[in-house]
Amino acid sequence: MSIESPLFQSSMELLGHAITHFNGTSELDRKLVILHLSNSVELLLKDMILDSGESIYKNPKETITIHGCIELLGTKKIAVPFLNKLELLVDERNALQHRFGSPNELTAIFYMNVALEFFRSVLKQHYSQDLDELIAQFADEKDLIALKMREPSNDSELENLKKLGKVHPLGALLSAIAYLEKTILQFGSKVGIGDRYMSPFPVSARYLEINGIELSAGLRDRLENTRRLRNQAAHGRAEPTREDVVVAVSSIEELEKFLASLNIDETRNKVAIARKQREAERPSYESSRVLLPPDQWMHETLKTFLMSEPALGGRKFIIDVRDSLVSVSHLPHKLPGSARVHQYTFTLNEKGDNISSESDRIKSEILKDCLMSSDEPVSETKSAAKAQRAV
């Protein structure tokens, strides 16, 4: 395929513009990131169609849509990488074009990563080009440097986030959090921390402590402050400063040193002991002397969890369980205000002995939804696995 094609050139120019806006800080920047990324993907797909010998016009005045591109490429046995995520990108673009609003920072990061991986794959397979080399012709050097700095992978890259924090504190903070989560998860895999009871946010000190790894009070507080700031910033309720970025990065460096100082075998034993203690303390439906109806048992178990879980301190809830549907209303911090409602379904196997595992799954989802939720009202339903499957 030829990179001199007008469609290819326009596609890469839009990708370059998206990168420029990705380094911006305004709501308009984030909106333009989504629009430019989607349009750049569409133009590249159309260029692939032309190269296959097909027309991109469905009538003399109108070209086919991006969905039409995907279908036509499918008939040519040409695979579109990351198709499921690209479809989400297109839906996001369509929503932005037809309603008022703008994506948050996390959404922009997600779709930028998807688009870059898509371009990297397609350019290599169909154009014999390297994205990192080619994109330099279509984006400013300073924008590419800033983009690279948001992907920390080692200590030197982590140090670069302090520099990025001077011009883009929010982007630097979110990138630092991503690095921190990856660091903790990688350490967890070494010492036997599985996902049977896993905090939705590994950045939380609680993820380590519930698994028997004790942190100093100071480090724990700094990590928790970083997590709270990240949640507030992601929902527009706080604007991090470069000083916040420096504190976050310093906390990560301190945690890395602490984890590196631990004996792996001893830590693995502590993790195993902590897991056994949790399992022994976990309420079991099937081992109870008095068996309650499943809905009532689930209500009592989750009510106790909402009242005692430290990560949910300071929040108020209303819980209702009927016909295997759990409704949790997260009340607003200040009144007047609207409650945010989350719904979860649970499914029992033939024996009903998977209800404890189902309650653990719902607890994890409640933590994730409540700690990440904004103050806007919403109703969501999360289904369990297929019926009759034992968890």
Side-chain angles (χ1 to χ4, degrees):
M1 296 185 179
S2 173
I3 64 173
E4 285 78 23
S5 161
L7 285 177
F8 181 88
Q9 293 286 314
S10 295
S11 173
M12 297 304 297
E13 288 174 358
L14 284 171
L15 179 59
H17 290 319
I19 291 173
T20 297
H21 288 291
F22 184 66
N23 294 320
T25 59
S26 69
E27 290 186 356
L28 178 59
D29 282 316
R30 295 194 294 272
K31 183 173 183 178
L32 290 175
V33 166
I34 302 300
L35 298 179
H36 287 336
L37 287 178
S38 181
N39 291 339
S40 66
V41 168
E42 181 174 350
L43 290 178
L44 190 62
L45 293 178
K46 287 180 177 179
D47 189 58
M48 294 167 64
I49 288 175
L50 287 179
D51 193 75
S52 72
E54 296 289 340
S55 173
I56 61 174
Y57 284 89
K58 59 182 179 180
N59 61 54
K61 295 184 179 181
E62 188 177 5
T63 61
I64 60 177
T65 65
I66 189 169
H67 292 295
C69 292
I70 294 170
E71 291 177 4
L72 188 52
L73 288 171
T75 65
K76 295 290 184 178
K77 307 299 182 184
I78 300 176
V80 178
F82 308 101
L83 176 57
N84 58 335
K85 295 178 181 178
L86 291 180
E87 289 174 334
L88 294 177
L89 171 61
V90 175
D91 288 343
E92 185 74 24
R93 178 195 66 178
N94 293 340
L96 291 175
Q97 288 179 329
H98 295 97
R99 64 172 171 79
F100 177 79
S102 62
N104 60 31
E105 182 83 11
L106 295 180
T107 299
I109 291 174
F110 174 78
Y111 287 120
M112 175 58 76
N113 290 336
V114 170
L116 291 176
E117 290 304 314
F118 164 78
F119 273 94
R120 184 169 285 108
S121 175
V122 170
L123 291 183
K124 181 178 181 180
Q125 181 177 356
H126 297 284
Y127 294 86
S128 299
Q129 297 289 325
D130 180 85
L131 173 62
D132 295 329
E133 295 179 0
L134 189 63
I135 193 61
Q137 303 175 29
F138 300 92
D140 290 340
E141 182 179 5
K142 62 180 180 63
D143 290 327
L144 292 176
I145 292 175
L147 176 67
K148 187 65 176 177
M149 288 171 65
R150 295 178 66 162
E151 303 174 355
S153 58
N154 52 48
D155 291 342
S156 61
E157 291 294 328
L158 192 59
E159 188 66 23
N160 284 338
L161 288 181
K162 295 181 181 179
K163 301 176 183 177
L164 178 61
K166 297 178 181 179
V167 295
H168 194 349
L170 179 55
L173 177 66
L174 294 177
S175 297
I177 293 296
Y179 180 90
L180 174 58
E181 291 186 350
K182 180 175 67 174
T183 298
I184 295 179
L185 287 175
Q186 288 176 344
F187 179 80
S189 66
K190 295 179 182 179
V191 296
I193 300 178
D195 57 2
R196 188 170 181 181
Y197 185 96
M198 174 178 164
S199 168
F201 307 104
V203 64
S204 171
R206 178 169 169 75
Y207 174 77
L208 293 172
E209 293 186 333
I210 64 172
N211 286 288
I213 304 173
E214 294 294 330
L215 305 178
S216 68
L219 178 56
R220 182 195 308 116
D221 291 343
R222 285 190 288 276
L223 289 175
E224 288 301 302
N225 289 336
T226 298
R227 179 186 63 79
R228 283 192 290 269
L229 179 60
R230 179 261 188 212
N231 291 343
Q232 293 173 350
H235 294 289
R237 297 198 295 268
E239 189 67 32
T241 65
R242 61 183 181 182
E243 288 76 17
D244 293 326
V245 174
V246 171
V247 172
V249 171
S250 297
S251 298
I252 295 172
E253 292 172 336
E254 182 181 352
L255 179 64
E256 283 186 314
K257 293 179 181 178
F258 169 72
L259 295 178
S261 70
L262 297 177
N263 181 284
I264 297 298
D265 291 334
E266 292 179 0
T267 304
R268 188 179 290 112
N269 289 334
K270 290 181 179 179
V271 169
I273 292 173
R275 174 177 294 148
K276 290 180 179 179
Q277 290 176 340
R278 288 200 310 272
E279 292 178 348
E281 296 169 357
R282 184 177 64 186
S284 172
Y285 178 76
E286 58 272 16
S287 63
S288 298
R289 178 172 296 182
V290 178
L291 293 181
L292 300 174
D295 283 350
Q296 185 178 350
W297 187 93
M298 186 66 75
H299 182 280
E300 292 299 321
T301 300
L302 294 180
K303 181 182 74 172
T304 300
F305 166 74
L306 291 171
M307 294 174 63
S308 61
E309 170 56 44
L312 299 177
R315 293 174 170 83
K316 294 184 178 181
F317 304 91
I318 296 176
I319 182 171
D320 182 66
V321 183
R322 298 183 185 181
D323 300 325
S324 300
L325 177 65
V326 178
S327 297
V328 177
S329 299
H330 184 186
L331 303 181
H333 293 292
K334 296 181 180 179
L335 295 176
S338 300
R340 185 178 180 92
V341 181
H342 299 283
Q343 294 182 322
Y344 315 87
T345 60
F346 62 94
T347 303
L348 303 185
N349 57 22
E350 292 181 357
K351 295 181 178 180
D353 58 5
N354 65 321
I355 192 170
S356 295
S357 298
E358 285 287 78
S359 69
D360 282 348
R361 174 184 60 79
I362 294 176
K363 290 175 186 178
S364 180
E365 292 180 357
I366 289 174
L367 277 173
K368 180 177 180 181
D369 290 334
C370 292
L371 295 180
M372 281 292 292
S373 65
S374 63
D375 292 329
E376 298 175 0
V378 69
S379 180
E380 302 174 353
T381 301
K382 301 200 173 183
S383 298
K386 293 181 179 179
Q388 307 306 319
R389 180 180 68 84
V391 176

